[in-house]
Amino acid sequence: MKKTSTRLADGRELIYYDERDDAVRDAVDRRPLGPVSTTSQIRRDRLLGDSVAIASHRQGRTYHPPADECPLCPSAEGRRSEIPDSSYDVVVFENRFPSLAGDAGRCEVVCFTSDHDASFADLTPEQAGLVLEAWTDRTAELSQLDSVEQVFCFENRGAEIGVTLGHPHGQIYAYPFVTPRTDLMLRSLAAFKETTGGRNLFDDLVAEESAGERVVLAGEHWVAFVPYAAHWPYEVHLYPRRRVPDLLALDEAARTEFPRIYLELLRRFDRIFGEGETSTPYIAAWHQAPFGTLEGHDGINRDDFALHLELFTIRRTSGKLKFLAGSESGMSVFINDVPPEAAAQRLREVASS
C-alpha cells in the first residue's frame, strides 16, 4: 500500500491509498473554495447521560446530485470534485459538512472505489483489503488526536438508510467521548467478569454462537452469525476468532481472510429478498475499543473488548422497511419481526454463486 497525503483548496486533508507503490498523486485542487465553517458542538443530556452533536451547518450539505455532478467521483475535464486526481483506488478526506469538528471530534469520508456505479460487494478481494488498510491507518492516526476517545468506521448504503450521495463510500467518526452503545457493552463486560471470576463475555458469546444454528459463515480466522437477540430483521455480527480490541491488532492471517468473508456476506445480503431487490440497504459498523481511559468500568481494560463488525438492514421483507416506531424510538425496546434463526437460515440459503 502507498499512502499520499495532500490538501484540498480549503485546507482539508485528503489521503490517497494505492495498491501500487509507484502511483503518483500530485493533482492540485483548483476549486475556488472558501474556508470550512462549522457550528458543531456536543451537548450532554443530564437525564439519559449521553451526548448529542448539534450541527446546524449540515443542513446545506450536498443532497442527491446527478451522477455527472457527483463530488466523490474523480475530477475530469470541466468537472472538479472533492478528489483532484482523474483516478484513485481508495481515498479518505475530511468531510466538508462534519457532524463533529475541532474539539468536538473529526469526521472523514472514505471512498471505496472510483467506480460510481459499483458497491462494496462489487470490489475485488484486493480492493476490499485496501479499504481495510485505510480503515486501520485512519484508526491509528485519529486515535492520536488529544480530543479523540473512540474511532468509528462505518458504511451507510442505500437511500432508505438516508444516504445522500450514491457513490460507494463510508465514513469515519472520531468521537471526543465513549459512545453510549460502547458504554453499555463495557458495563456488561465488567459485570460478567466480576460475577464469573474473570471470564470474558465476548469470548463466551462467540464460542456459544460459533457452535450454534445461527452461524452464517465460518472461516479459519473469522466467524459470522446472527445474534441470539438480534435487534434488526437481518443482522449479522462478524468477529475475528482471536479476540483483539481494534483494527490495529488484527494479525496478517485475519487481514488476508477478511475480504473473502466480508464480500461474501455483503453479496448474500443483496440476495435476501429475491431477484427483484438486489441492492439491500444496510449499515455496516465497526466496533472498536475506546482509546481513552475506561472511567466507570473498574476491573476491565481495552484488551478485554472484542473488535467486531455489525451488519444489518432496515428492510424486513420485500418492499417493506422496519420502522423505529413507538417502542423502539420512545423506549429503546426493539421488536424484531424476523426470528434470528430464520434470518440465519435465509442467509445460508442465498450463498452467492
Side-chain angles (χ1 to χ4, degrees):
M1 179 191 77
K2 181 180 181 182
K3 174 184 175 182
T4 306
S5 179
T6 185
R7 292 283 170 178
L8 296 173
D10 55 11
R12 288 175 294 135
E13 185 178 18
L14 179 143
I15 306 166
Y16 294 96
Y17 294 91
D18 287 290
E19 293 184 50
R20 293 177 47 178
D21 291 336
D22 60 353
V24 177
R25 299 298 185 185
D26 55 7
V28 177
D29 182 12
R30 302 190 183 282
R31 294 174 296 169
L33 298 179
V36 174
S37 177
T38 66
T39 59
S40 295
Q41 57 178 282
I42 303 297
R43 297 188 181 182
R44 185 74 172 173
D45 186 320
R46 290 186 293 171
L47 277 180
L48 297 180
D50 59 8
S51 299
V52 177
I54 308 297
S56 59
H57 62 277
R58 284 176 53 78
Q59 289 280 29
R61 66 187 184 273
T62 308
Y63 187 79
H64 292 299
D68 60 357
E69 296 179 17
C70 175
L72 305 185
C73 286
S75 289
E77 187 175 351
R79 185 193 68 195
R80 294 172 179 170
S81 72
E82 289 280 65
I83 296 91
D85 214 324
S86 59
S87 66
Y88 64 84
D89 290 343
V90 174
V91 165
V92 177
F93 60 88
E94 289 182 74
N95 198 325
R96 186 166 173 79
F97 303 95
S99 302
L100 311 167
D103 291 339
R106 174 158 159 157
C107 293
E108 298 183 341
V109 177
V110 184
C111 298
F112 303 139
T113 172
S114 60
D115 185 351
H116 180 85
D117 297 317
S119 68
F120 201 117
D122 296 322
L123 301 183
T124 65
E126 292 74 23
Q127 289 174 307
L130 186 60
V131 174
L132 176 62
E133 292 304 313
W135 283 331
T136 304
D137 181 72
R138 297 314 302 150
T139 296
E141 292 285 336
L142 293 171
S143 68
Q144 297 303 308
L145 299 179
D146 290 340
S147 62
V148 172
E149 296 253 348
Q150 187 170 358
V151 179
F152 176 45
C153 306
F154 65 100
E155 180 191 1
N156 296 329
R157 194 263 192 121
E160 299 94 329
I161 298 294
V163 174
T164 57
L165 296 175
H167 196 102
H169 72 287
Q171 299 180 66
I172 303 175
Y173 278 19
Y175 295 104
F177 51 81
V178 176
T179 63
R181 190 173 178 86
T182 302
D183 185 69
L184 286 173
M185 292 183 191
L186 293 171
R187 290 181 187 278
S188 296
L189 188 62
F192 188 83
K193 186 174 185 178
E194 181 179 2
T195 58
T196 61
R199 281 169 35 204
N200 184 280
L201 177 57
F202 284 113
D203 290 350
D204 275 31
L205 286 175
V206 173
E208 290 170 9
E209 293 286 12
S210 296
E213 61 180 320
R214 289 180 295 276
V215 171
V216 175
L217 276 172
E220 183 179 355
H221 303 285
W222 295 85
V223 61
F225 54 83
V226 178
Y228 171 75
H231 289 59
W232 299 94
Y234 290 91
E235 174 182 342
V236 175
H237 293 190
L238 176 63
Y239 279 82
R241 291 188 182 274
R242 182 179 70 87
R243 172 166 45 90
V244 295
D246 52 44
L247 291 166
L248 305 174
L250 285 174
D251 61 25
E252 193 58 35
R255 291 183 182 279
T256 299
E257 187 180 71
F258 171 77
R260 178 180 66 82
I261 297 288
Y262 187 49
L263 290 173
E264 175 65 16
L265 270 181
L266 293 181
R267 290 162 186 167
R268 292 191 187 195
F269 256 59
D270 278 345
R271 291 169 173 256
I272 295 173
F273 303 107
E275 295 299 323
E277 298 186 42
T278 56
S279 297
T280 300
Y282 64 73
I283 293 174
W286 279 108
H287 292 264
Q288 305 191 78
F291 287 93
T293 58
L294 301 182
E295 295 181 4
H297 304 290
D298 295 339
I300 63 170
N301 56 56
R302 68 184 314 272
D303 287 332
D304 291 318
F305 194 87
L307 167 76
H308 63 284
L309 183 142
E310 297 184 7
L311 174 68
F312 59 90
T313 179
I314 63 171
R315 187 174 289 165
R316 57 187 174 87
T317 189
S318 181
K320 297 179 181 179
L321 301 181
K322 166 63 180 177
F323 293 103
L324 300 189
S327 186
E328 292 88 356
S329 296
M331 284 294 169
S332 295
V333 178
F334 275 69
I335 300 169
N336 190 350
D337 304 302
V338 180
E341 294 74 23
Q345 181 177 346
R346 177 61 179 158
L347 285 163
R348 289 193 298 268
E349 291 172 349
V350 293
S352 62
S353 57

